[in-house]
Amino acid sequence: MSAKTLYDKLWEDHVVHTEDDGSSLIYIDRQLVHEVTSPQAFEGLRLAGRRPWRTERNLAVADHNVPTTDRRAGIADPVARLQVATLDKNCAEFGITEFTMTDVRQGIVHVIGPEQGATLPGMTVVCGDSHTSTHGASGALAFGIGTSEVEHALATQCLIQKKSKNFLIKVNGEVGEGITAKDIVLAIIGKIGTAGGTGYAIEFAGTAIADLSMEGRMTVCNMAIEAGARAGLIAVDETTIEYYQDRPYSPKGEHWLMAVRAWEKLHSDADAVFDKVVEIDAATIAPQVTWGTSPEMVVAVGDKVPNPVDEFDLVKQQSMQTALDYMGLKAGQAITDIAIDKVFIGSCTNSRIEDLRAAAQVVAGKQRAETVKLAMVVPGSGLVKQQAEKEGLDKIFIAAGFEWREPGCSMCLAMNADKLEAGERCASTSNRNFEGRQGYGGRTHLVSPAMAAAAGIAGNFVDIREWV
Amino acid sequence: MQAFTKLTAQVAPLDRANVDTDAIIPKQFLKSIRRAGFGPYLFDEWRYTDIGEPEMDCTNRPLQKDFVLNNPDYKEAKILLTRENFGCGSSREHAPWALEDYGFRAIIASSFADIFYNNCFKNGILPIVLSVELIEALFQEVSAGYQLSIDLEAQTITTPSGKEIAFTIDAARKYRLFNGLDDIALTLLQADKIKEYELERAKRAPWLFVEAN
Ligand code: SF4
């Protein structure tokens, strides 16, 4: 038997049928559903008179549109309210479990999946959301799909897919103090570009990845899509298994033991061959800050905003100039001279307990800079929020002048009331710095939670390594 | 789904790389629970100078003068010519819905983001990948009234001067698009295979077949 990559193993385990042209019918173990990309899928089922193939393999939550302030009053925006109500109605009609807006288990779909043990190692996981790649951190094959595919997965528990190529990214050695999973993945995207992983499933490996907690691994896989790859993967090890023990949806008793035995095989064979390999020395990674309107437009905090003139490729040169104009930055400006207006700590990239701890540690005993209008902390789920409050993190944030909110996507994409005003500049722990992403005309700089917190205190970007 | 066979239509050049789905259809429009009606908001932030809101009437909104779709020369365009990594970003199918609702049936680029590429086929849009050189050449040629003829069966694009450009597309996708077939119905023809797989898998991974979960 020839050596296999982790992706090969997961793929083979889920093939129902392969056509002559190489496209396969792939079995889906778990579908996560949220309010934005599902209404038209449920409508499609209804119109065709179809029922879900396996109702219990779907789990729904409202996250994109929900308010992060007091929820008892409901949602003010009538369009958003209708969308969330439509999810409630569809789940009730089709018998799908939903964590509603006031359920303590509610949260961002990619935070609650692993938290509940609803997405497990060895599974195929899909969701009508590109950041589904997050769940690959547990050695699952997880990828985002469009609404037609949401409907397809609901109706058939399968999807038609073509196998991707294998891409190995090895982060060797250890990262320096203050360097987080976010810096690792931003550095990777800076190196391979936002289309570097297109057509591939990326496996992240190497000591620096193995050293990460599950939360950190989720941050890395979350942004695989920002490197163009639909799926990011990390091999199962003790950290993974420990994480999943006793989660509400995790297997129990005899099943748990069987599952662990199966999961222990979820790694690439030593002599497996990848179509592409990139190696990075962890020790060279500095805290990262994006300066442009694409995640690949990223530099180390000690660097300067790059000059488009130095770019050889004319198309790239033009997009750099467009980005600089949009961001209101000048080539050659020091990153640490960039003053910010707002701070957003949250999103499926960085809203887990470890992220909140890191940010709280930075702001403890300090005060938000007067020039910073708003600094908000949005936990990834009700349970993360509960845990943080148990540890007193909420008090630390509030004392430092940071707002403590209810869980949801919030200003990651600004579909609810949390948004940037035109021209406002934000230090954000989210994953996308596209034009208008956090609000019309808003300017986003992607950073780690500690870097965002520090920027909120200093009023401009600072090198977190000088703070710890 | 609308089948795609042949198309001869005007081309609109969108000279940008990495056009993301937020640009194609900004997120405020994702609040809709419908599938149609996104066309007027396609490229909203580039097309208008005010801020678009869902359900808004677009007939009298102030236009961004230099945006290609506002140029009367490209009013009738059904083919979009653009550059690398088109459709990157989110998985929202609202992006192809908006393109389709506006009237685009084909998009030509040097590369596409995976999910977007896939979503096009589910909505009767043909995404065509050409080399960077060919894309550059088309950008040089395109002007008011410039038309291309696309023949899916022959997998060719013909320029006004009669030059033929071949493109590749995988057979299964081509078959479905050409015939306008519904994927779900096709998959359900394989129901027995799915059930067989489930029985076999339940032996290997019984924890995935516990009803309560
Ligand atoms: S937090 Fe942001 S990236 Fe994550 S699912 Fe929500 S909107 Fe998408």
Side-chain angles (χ1 to χ4, degrees), chain A residues 13 27 40 83 148 413 436, chain B residues 27 30 34 93 172 198 204:
Chain A
D13 205 26
Y27 194 77
Q40 296 86 354
Q83 199 169 57
S148 295
L413 93 166
Chain B
K27 69 236 145 204
L30 274 54
R34 298 186 308 137
E93 203 155 316
E198 285 178 329
R204 284 185 290 133

Side-chain angles (χ1 to χ4, degrees), chain A residues 278-344:
Chain A
V278 166
E279 301 209 26
I280 293 177
D281 177 4
T284 62
I285 301 175
Q288 304 284 303
V289 181
T290 64
W291 56 268
T293 51
S294 159
E296 71 185 14
M297 295 173 169
V298 64
V299 290
V301 64
D303 287 348
K304 295 186 163 47
V305 174
N307 195 332
V309 182
D310 300 333
E311 173 59 55
F312 180 68
D313 180 333
L314 287 179
V315 176
K316 276 210 178 119
Q317 195 181 89
Q318 195 203 341
S319 29
M320 283 173 80
Q321 192 52 55
T322 312
L324 286 183
D325 295 344
Y326 180 85
M327 292 296 288
L329 295 173
K330 282 198 205 61
Q333 199 175 347
I335 294 291
T336 47
D337 283 345
I338 301 174
I340 57 149
D341 304 301
K342 286 184 175 168
V343 175
F344 172 63

Side-chain angles (χ1 to χ4, degrees), chain A residues 25-101:
Chain A
L25 197 60
I26 292 295
Y27 194 77
I28 303 304
D29 294 317
R30 171 69 73 195
Q31 172 154 243
L32 301 169
V33 177
H34 68 78
E35 78 275 24
V36 181
T37 52
S38 68
Q40 296 86 354
F42 283 112
E43 188 60 24
L45 284 190
R46 243 188 316 265
L47 289 173
R50 292 176 177 134
R51 303 289 304 174
W53 183 276
R54 281 181 74 197
T55 309
E56 77 284 2
R57 301 317 292 170
N58 298 283
L59 178 64
V61 70
D63 55 0
H64 284 64
N65 273 312
V66 300
T68 57
T69 46
D70 191 352
R71 287 192 179 151
R72 281 168 299 189
I75 305 176
D77 173 0
V79 196
R81 187 167 63 227
L82 177 64
Q83 199 169 57
V84 172
T86 304
L87 180 70
D88 297 346
K89 193 179 106 250
N90 284 329
C91 289
E93 181 184 333
F94 288 98
I96 290 169
T97 305
E98 182 197 359
F99 298 163
T100 58
M101 206 168 78

Side-chain angles (χ1 to χ4, degrees), chain B residues 2-59:
Chain B
Q2 218 179 332
F4 189 110
T5 49
K6 281 190 179 134
L7 172 73
T8 298
Q10 208 173 68
V11 181
L14 180 64
D15 197 355
R16 289 214 187 206
N18 296 312
V19 172
D20 59 75
T21 52
D22 273 322
I24 299 172
I25 182 86
K27 69 236 145 204
Q28 62 270 34
F29 302 105
L30 274 54
K31 289 177 189 167
S32 170
I33 56 168
R34 298 186 308 137
R35 203 172 182 128
F38 294 103
Y41 314 111
L42 175 69
F43 298 119
D44 200 84
E45 290 184 7
W46 292 344
R47 214 161 131 195
Y48 307 101
T49 56
D50 62 344
I51 301 177
E53 288 301 333
E55 322 265 292
M56 187 171 190
D57 176 6
C58 293
T59 38

